Each structure stands twice: as structure tokens, then as C-alpha cells.
Amino acid sequence: MDVAAARRSEHSSFFLYRFTLPARVSEEMAEDKAAALEDFDPQKRPKRNKYAFACAILASMTSILLGYDVGVMSGAVIYIKRDLKLTDVQIEILVGIINLFSLIGSCLAGRTSDWMGRRYTIVLAGSIFFTGAILMGLSPNYPFLMFARFVAGVGIGYALMIAPVYTTEVSPPSCRGFLTSFPEVFINGGILLGYISNYGFSKLPLHLGWRMMLGVGAVPSVILAVGVLAMPESPRWLVMRGRLGEATKVLNKTSDSPEEAQLRLAEIKCAAGIPESCSDDVVQVRKESEAHGKGVWKEFFLHPTPAVRHILIAALGIHFFQQASGIDAVVLYSPEIFKKAGLESDGEQLLATVAVGFAKTVFILVATFLLDRVGRRPLLLSSVGGMVVSLVALGLGLSFIEHSRAAVKWAVGLSIGTVLSYVATFSVGAGPITWVYSSEIFPLRLRAQGAAMGVVVNRVTSGVISMTFLSLSNKITIGGAFFLFAGIAACGWIFFYTMLPETQGKTLEEMEGSFGKFARSHHRNGDIQLAN
């Protein structure tokens, strides 16, 4: 009996092993497979960080200043020209010179923000523009108006540089693209407000209307100055100054989790040259450190690494092509374009211009929700491709109208429609991504000055376009001008495709590793060759 029982037990054990083990193995394999598949699935998006969201909105409000000035000048110049008896060349200079004046603010903003902090630099930008807007509203003549635009331009230069830098540094990686696109959203909002102001004040007496249009620009500056009081300082600037305790508090509020806050702090400390083990609230940071801007220009121009060289080319290139494709010509001279397209009265031209403002604002809002979902690169390439098509169609429509003796309704409709499609495709990609991309790719030690250089290129290019558009369109026709912009935009598409890697989802401290791979140096027979 004992032997039989033992055999039955052995048989039973074999049966269990034979039939249950494969089931357990299969179950374990299924679990492993599910886990492996889970690794490839996108992680669930954390909820928007409300504190970082509020900080980004307040900082980005500085961009309203530029937007309002651009928008309001497009209509105000109609009445300034009549009131002060100005020529086309004087109008071009008046409209475009503010971009060159803004270079002063942009050049000073990098060092200023490293010295006094990002937060107080925003206050300074708003204060300077407030003064300029009041002076423009009180201008008795052309020279005084030019001086007022000089003051406003310096404030705009500060605002353009500091808003994306602050927003980038305070944003968690999960929604950095969304939040860093806010400056462009507010630029478009400012442009729309400027267009509405034009239409609203156009009924006033000639000498009063344009002064009210320009003077009202002081109002956003006051709101900005009050709002900044609720903002924290940038955590990266605080670490650069050795104020680790304050930086930790800000990171805890602006990160998606405590673990992420610790990771961000460790990466920033590493970039600033502070040991990761250091946990003091305040530490001594060497003043000659690179974190304070020393040696930045040498690293940019004299001894750049391949990654830094690539980053600089990418940042300056994206700023150049954004403006060289003619966006400021369309935004600043919309009434003139619509006049050439067949809209004769001031009211029709200004109302059509308001439609341009609405199109820009609506599509920039669309872009903010796509940046962290689609990625920078696909959105930028799609946007610029749409701009090329729109510019070619606009050039065709305007050329047909210019060479036709009778009014051609389809050409008028095509011209108006393609102006709207051009600003829409610009706003969904090239507009916001330029500021997002150029502010996130620079290493911490180079960020303030690098962003300032990008703004300089942006404003110089914008100034050249806006100060020459009327003369250019007189020389090669207005249709020819837009064919030229289409060619430049096509070159921009090629540049973006070959030079700009994707940056979506990467921390700011990881960014440098994505660059420098477009060319490698190979020493052959004493020569340096570039290979992919």
C-alpha cells in the first residue's frame, strides 16, 4: 500500500508539473509582455501645474507690449501720415525703427537679468515701455515721436528676451512647450488689441485719434507691474546666486512631483558647478564662475564645442527665418495690402485687419495645445510649408490685381484669404516655436546671453523688413515682394529640416546632448572634413 501510494503521489506531482507549470510560465510571460508593452506606451500626462501656469501667464504678459505696438502702428500710421504730413520713407522708418531700438534692451537684458534677477528685469521692461507709451501719446511732432519710440523700443527689447527665458526656467518638462509658447500667445493678443484700438479710435478727430491709439499702450504695463509682485524668482537664477533653499521651494511648487523637483534641483546644481551633496540653504558661489556670465562670449565665438556651435546656429537661424519670411510686413502693413487688394475705405481696411488679428490669435491658441503633443519639429515644418504655399498664392493674387484694369473678385478674395491663411500657418508653428526652441536649447551658463542674441537677430531682421517693405513693393511690385518672402521661407524649411533636432520632453540640462551631431570632425591628411 505504501509503495502504491507513493507511486500515486509521484504521478500526481508529475501531472501537476506537466499541466500547471506551463500555465504559470505562460501567465508570467504574458505579464512580462504586458510590462514590456507598457514601457513603449506613452505615460499618462500629469495634470497641468497651476502654479507654473500662473507664473508663465504673468511673465508672458510682457509680450503684450510688443504685440500692441506692432498692431496699433499698422493703423495709426494712416492718420500719423496725414496729420504730420509724412512721406512713405518717414513712415517706414517710424514703423520699423523700434525694432532696432529694441536691440539696446535685448543686449542689456542678458546681463541685467543675471545681475538683478529675471523677475525684476520684467518689472524694468514694463516700466520703460510705460514711459515710452505715454510719450508717444503726447508727441507733438515727428522728432519727439521718434524719441518716444526709442524709449518704448528699449522696453520691448527687455520684454522680448526675459519673458521666454523666465517661463522656460520655471516650467516643468512635461508642459514646457505649452507654457513657453505663452509669450507668442500674448504677442498675438497684443496685436489684436492694437487692431481693435485702431478701429475704435479711428472715429476721433485726426490729431487726437492716433495719439489715443498709442497712449493706451501704457495700460498693460501697469497691470504687469502689479502682477509681477505675485511671481517667484526663477529657480535657476536662485541656484546661480547660491540661494538653494529658495530655489527648492520654487521647484517644489512648479514641478509635477517632489521627485521631479529633486531631480531638477540636482541637474541645475550640476550645471551651476555646485556639488549635488550640498544641502545648505545658502552657499557661496564664485563670482568669477561661468554661471555669472564670465567667459560666455569666448565659449560662443572663440572656443565653441560642436554642441554649442550647433545650438548657436540653430537659435540664430530660427529667429532669422521667422522674420525674413515677411510676417512683420503682413502684420504692420495689412491696411496697405488690403488697399492694394481692392478695399478702398479706411474702415474696410481696418476691419479686415482685425480679422487678421483674430486669425493669428485663434491659431496661436491651437499651437499651445499641440507643442507638447506633436513635438516642435513636425509642427514647425508643417507650419513653414503652409506659409510657403500661402505666400505664393498671395503673390499671384496681388500680381493679377495689379495687372488687371477691372476689379477681379476672385483675385481679391484669394488675396484676403491667403493673408489670413499665412498668419494662421505662421501662428500654429513658426511663431511660437521660435521662442520656445531658442529659449530651451541653451545650457544654463549661456542661456541669458544666448537668448539675447536670438532677440537681436529677430529684431534686426524685423527692422530691415518693416523699414524696406513699402520701397521694396514699389520697386519689384507688391506681388513680387511676397514671391521673395516665399523663396526665403522655402530656404527656412530646408534649414529647419537639416539643422533642428527634436527637443520635446527633454529637461533643459539634457538638451546639449541633442546637438553637435550634425557634423563630426575627421582628420585626414591634415585636413578637417565634415561628415554626417
Side-chain angles (χ1 to χ4, degrees):
M1 290 291 293
D2 291 337
V3 173
R7 285 178 178 173
R8 282 197 302 269
S9 175
E10 185 180 325
H11 182 75
S12 176
S13 298
F14 175 78
F15 180 84
L16 289 172
Y17 176 83
R18 173 69 180 81
F19 291 101
T20 63
L21 181 62
R24 285 200 304 270
V25 171
S26 298
E27 194 175 308
E28 288 172 4
M29 288 176 65
E31 288 175 0
D32 291 342
K33 186 177 180 182
L37 289 173
E38 198 173 292
D39 291 339
F40 288 95
D41 288 339
Q43 295 181 346
K44 292 182 179 179
R45 286 189 169 277
K47 293 181 179 178
R48 299 285 185 200
N49 186 297
K50 294 179 181 177
Y51 190 77
F53 185 89
C55 291
I57 286 180
L58 290 171
S60 302
M61 282 180 64
T62 57
S63 303
I64 286 181
L65 308 180
L66 171 63
Y68 185 84
D69 184 83
V70 169
V72 81
M73 282 304 290
S74 69
V77 291
I78 297 173
Y79 306 101
I80 294 172
K81 184 177 181 180
R82 293 174 190 167
D83 189 27
L84 301 183
K85 308 294 189 294
L86 304 181
T87 65
D88 279 351
V89 174
Q90 287 176 309
I91 287 296
E92 282 181 325
I93 294 173
L94 180 67
V95 169
I97 198 69
I98 199 166
N99 295 300
L100 303 185
F101 290 153
S102 68
L103 297 182
I104 298 171
S106 297
C107 291
L108 294 174
R111 183 55 62 88
T112 302
S113 67
D114 279 348
W115 170 60
M116 67 188 300
R118 313 320 195 204
R119 183 173 176 241
Y120 288 111
T121 304
I122 293 173
V123 176
L124 180 63
S127 303
I128 296 172
F129 186 83
F130 174 85
T131 305
I134 294 295
L135 291 175
M136 284 192 289
L138 299 174
S139 297
N141 51 46
Y142 184 72
F144 192 94
L145 184 57
M146 288 290 286
F147 170 73
R149 288 186 69 69
F150 166 76
V151 177
V154 173
I156 285 173
Y158 269 101
L160 274 175
M161 178 268 169
I162 196 60
V165 167
Y166 176 87
T167 307
T168 298
E169 293 185 346
V170 84
S171 302
S174 63
C175 57
R176 189 177 60 243
F178 174 71
L179 298 181
T180 314
S181 67
F182 280 14
E184 184 69 16
V185 173
F186 279 93
I187 287 176
N188 283 274
I191 289 172
L192 179 57
L193 288 175
Y195 288 161
I196 294 171
S197 175
N198 286 337
Y199 189 72
F201 291 119
S202 63
K203 309 301 180 185
L204 293 176
L206 181 62
H207 71 283
L208 182 60
W210 66 265
R211 290 181 170 88
M212 286 296 296
M213 294 174 189
L214 298 178
V216 168
V219 175
S221 304
V222 177
I223 299 172
L224 175 66
V226 174
V228 166
L229 298 176
M231 289 167 50
E233 184 50 84
S234 156
R236 285 175 172 80
W237 184 83
L238 291 171
V239 172
M240 281 164 48
R241 306 296 290 189
R243 292 153 62 176
L244 301 185
E246 294 175 60
T248 302
K249 290 178 182 178
V250 176
L251 286 169
N252 285 333
K253 289 182 177 180
T254 59
S255 297
D256 294 326
S257 66
E259 294 77 18
E260 182 183 273
Q262 289 299 316
L263 179 62
R264 289 173 69 188
L265 179 63
E267 290 174 338
I268 298 168
K269 285 198 291 189
C270 179
I274 299 172
E276 187 177 343
S277 58
C278 180
S279 58
D280 297 337
D281 284 349
V282 180
V283 299
Q284 188 69 32
V285 179
R286 291 180 305 157
K287 290 190 176 180
E288 63 270 20
S289 158
E290 286 182 337
H292 290 273
K294 303 292 184 181
V296 165
W297 303 115
K298 284 184 180 179
E299 187 166 356
F300 269 134
F301 298 112
L302 297 182
H303 308 292
T305 63
V308 168
R309 186 186 301 114
H310 188 178
I311 287 170
L312 186 62
I313 292 170
L316 300 188
I318 196 171
H319 274 289
F320 170 78
F321 283 111
Q322 185 209 45
Q323 290 299 324
S325 58
I327 185 61
D328 273 7
V330 172
V331 173
L332 284 166
Y333 297 105
S334 287
E336 182 69 20
I337 294 168
F338 290 131
K339 183 179 178 181
K340 296 280 188 183
L343 302 182
E344 296 181 357
S345 72
D346 291 349
E348 289 179 332
Q349 294 164 19
L350 293 177
L351 201 56
T353 301
V354 171
V356 171
F358 272 111
K360 278 182 101 317
T361 304
V362 167
F363 280 90
I364 190 66
L365 291 173
V366 172
T368 61
F369 292 100
L370 294 177
L371 272 168
D372 288 317
R373 290 174 169 81
V374 177
R376 282 56 156 162
R377 200 178 141 85
L379 204 56
L380 180 63
L381 294 174
S382 302
S383 165
V384 177
M387 288 163 57
V388 172
V389 173
S390 297
L391 286 167
V392 170
L394 178 57
L396 288 171
L398 291 172
S399 297
F400 197 91
I401 291 169
E402 198 165 24
H403 291 91
S404 299
R405 296 179 181 178
V408 184
K409 289 185 178 180
W410 70 264
V412 173
L414 177 66
S415 299
I416 295 172
T418 49
V419 168
L420 296 176
S421 68
Y422 171 70
V423 298
T425 51
F426 175 88
S427 292
V428 86
I433 290 174
T434 294
W435 302 102
V436 172
Y437 200 90
S438 63
S439 62
E440 71 184 357
I441 60 177
F442 286 105
L444 174 63
R445 65 190 182 278
L446 309 175
R447 186 167 300 134
Q449 287 83 355
M453 279 196 291
V455 174
V456 167
V457 171
N458 190 285
R459 292 299 89 198
V460 168
T461 310
S462 175
V464 170
I465 296 296
S466 55
M467 291 173 69
T468 59
F469 178 71
L470 293 179
S471 301
L472 180 68
S473 59
N474 288 334
K475 290 285 186 184
I476 65 173
T477 74
I478 192 167
F482 285 109
F483 285 134
L484 175 62
F485 293 145
I488 294 172
C491 294
W493 192 95
I494 296 170
F495 175 84
F496 300 147
Y497 183 82
T498 56
M499 295 292 292
L500 271 60
E502 182 58 75
T503 60
Q504 179 189 15
K506 296 179 180 177
T507 67
L508 298 180
E509 284 65 39
E510 291 174 341
M511 207 67 71
E512 195 171 351
S514 300
F515 291 83
K517 299 173 185 176
F518 71 102
R520 299 180 186 277
S521 296
H522 297 278
H523 294 270
R524 293 178 184 174
N525 301 325
D527 296 328
I528 297 177
Q529 298 181 343
L530 296 179
N532 290 328

